[in-house]
Amino acid sequence: MTTTGEHHATAAEGPWWWERRRSAVLDVGLALVSAVECAVEGVPFARDAGIPLGAGIVFGLSAGSVLVLRRRWPIAVVLVSIAITPAQMGFLMGIVGLYTLAASELPRRIIGSLAGMSLVGTLIVTLVRVRQDMARGDLTLGDWFVPFASITTSLGLTAPPLLLGLYVGARRRLMESLRERADSLERELQLLAERAEERAEWARNEERTRIAREMHDVVAHRVSLMVVHAAALQAVARKDPEKAVKNAALVGDMGRQALTELREMLGVLRSGEPGPARRESVPLAAVGVAAAAAASRAVDDGGAADGPCLSDLDVLVGQSAAAGMVVELSVEGESREYAAEIEQTAFRVVQEALTNVHKHAAGAKTHVRLAHRGAEVAMQVENEPPGEVSAASARLPSGGNGLVGMKERVLALGGVFVSGPTEAGGFRVSAVIPAS
């Protein structure tokens, strides 16, 4: 993990304005060396200026010690070094001051102005001193040496620290920029990881809902018919043995079909365990696919092999009629084939509506209507008020998820779903699904 800028900002351990103790030690050491240098150079300055020797030494010590402020006020250090240039003092302070100034965050115009002032001051002082030395006879070179020595000395004392400071400052700013970008990237990665976890949790919840819906569609209808047939079998067992045998056979067939479908759905869990030495977790998506595949085979043996379709409604209605429901099926418009998901959804809506009639309105007459229209297919299941025999006699439980599952299926295809009681006391379920 990268170190953030906030950590650097709060990691200051040095005294006063220094971020680190070693920086303070370095500046204090440079200031002592500069003070000693200026004090030594203050001796000839005092002699040339005609002032007491002690005053020149004290002046040199005071001027040289200003270098300790180079990190806090680099402009002041450079100005002091320029001011004492005529006294031929502060060479170390001028070099270090220019380096610190160039490496700082100050505007380039200020850095350029002060560097130019230092260059001009050094050039003038060197020019005057070299001429004085030549006039006294200390130097016997030609006149060309005066500008050469002045320019060389001024450039040598100004250009190297200035260029080095600019390089170090640019490098420091680049490192800070890279560090900030790394911190920003780290925060973005953390945010992406959190969003990925949220999306994964949402996907798991959606898959659990889909599995529950598919299992409900697969099992609920057949089990409801089994319970109804069992109740009818109990009622006619003594009066009509032949009908009782028929109902018992129907119950057995439906039970075997329900067990087969459940085995297909749950078999995917076992398929994820190839051996006792290795146990792999099965993703919810695989269970959902298996549940959907089993749900597509929830029709009677006469249904299509690739899933329930609208042509199987006759079989579905016949199963409910065999369970004692008075149900009528009417089809409007010219029958045609739709996409598999449209036909399966329409079939599930009718199937779940009939299951709800078995649960909540046993014995009520039911009307199933299917309409093929130009750009849509519509279905409606409406039951009349139940009679004296109620679903309570069959003791059919209700999970309360049937209508929710139907609505989710229809809305997922861009359709419209409406359900509710009728004025006559019955219940109506209507759905319209786009044909494309």
Side-chain angles (χ1 to χ4, degrees), residues 109-339:
R109 63 178 183 276
I110 297 179
I111 297 176
S113 300
L114 292 176
M117 292 171 58
S118 177
L119 177 66
V120 172
T122 306
L123 178 65
I124 294 175
V125 171
T126 305
L127 181 64
V128 172
R129 289 294 181 180
V130 173
R131 282 188 177 278
Q132 290 177 353
D133 293 340
M134 293 185 67
R136 287 196 301 264
D138 296 339
L139 294 174
T140 58
L141 298 175
D143 295 338
W144 61 269
F145 182 74
V146 177
F148 173 77
S150 303
I151 295 174
T152 303
T153 303
S154 59
L155 289 178
L157 294 176
T158 305
L162 180 65
L163 295 178
L164 180 61
L166 291 175
Y167 167 75
V168 172
R171 184 175 181 275
R172 182 184 300 143
R173 287 187 291 271
L174 176 62
M175 295 301 296
E176 292 177 355
S177 175
L178 293 177
R179 186 180 298 111
E180 292 177 357
R181 292 176 61 183
D183 296 339
S184 176
L185 179 60
E186 181 182 358
R187 288 191 294 268
E188 291 179 1
L189 290 177
Q190 291 177 352
L191 181 60
L192 289 176
E194 294 175 358
R195 290 181 177 177
E197 293 178 0
E198 293 176 358
R199 287 195 296 267
E201 183 63 27
W202 176 84
R204 285 193 292 267
N205 293 334
E206 288 293 316
E207 199 59 40
R208 291 190 186 99
T209 303
R210 189 167 75 94
I211 292 172
R213 184 170 60 244
E214 298 294 348
M215 294 185 68
H216 177 273
D217 292 340
V218 169
V219 180
H221 183 71
R222 295 195 185 279
V223 174
S224 298
L225 292 179
M226 288 171 59
V227 175
V228 173
H229 279 294
L233 176 62
Q234 183 180 4
V236 302
R238 295 182 181 179
K239 299 179 181 179
D240 193 347
E242 183 177 354
K243 187 175 182 180
V245 172
K246 182 179 179 180
N247 287 343
L250 288 174
V251 172
D253 291 340
M254 293 179 181
R256 282 188 291 271
Q257 292 171 5
L259 287 175
T260 300
E261 292 158 1
L262 282 175
R263 191 178 296 110
E264 290 176 354
M265 283 187 295
L266 300 179
V268 68
L269 297 176
R270 300 187 183 93
S271 66
E273 302 176 1
R278 181 182 179 186
R279 294 181 178 271
E280 299 179 354
S281 61
V282 180
L284 286 175
V287 183
V289 171
S296 67
R297 292 189 289 273
V299 196
D300 199 68
D301 294 338
D306 57 347
C309 55
L310 293 177
S311 61
D312 299 320
L313 287 182
D314 293 334
V315 178
L316 183 65
V317 172
Q319 290 177 351
S320 296
M325 177 187 293
V326 181
V327 56
E328 295 179 355
L329 173 63
S330 61
V331 180
E332 301 176 4
E334 183 179 355
S335 300
R336 63 181 188 274
E337 293 184 357
Y338 302 95

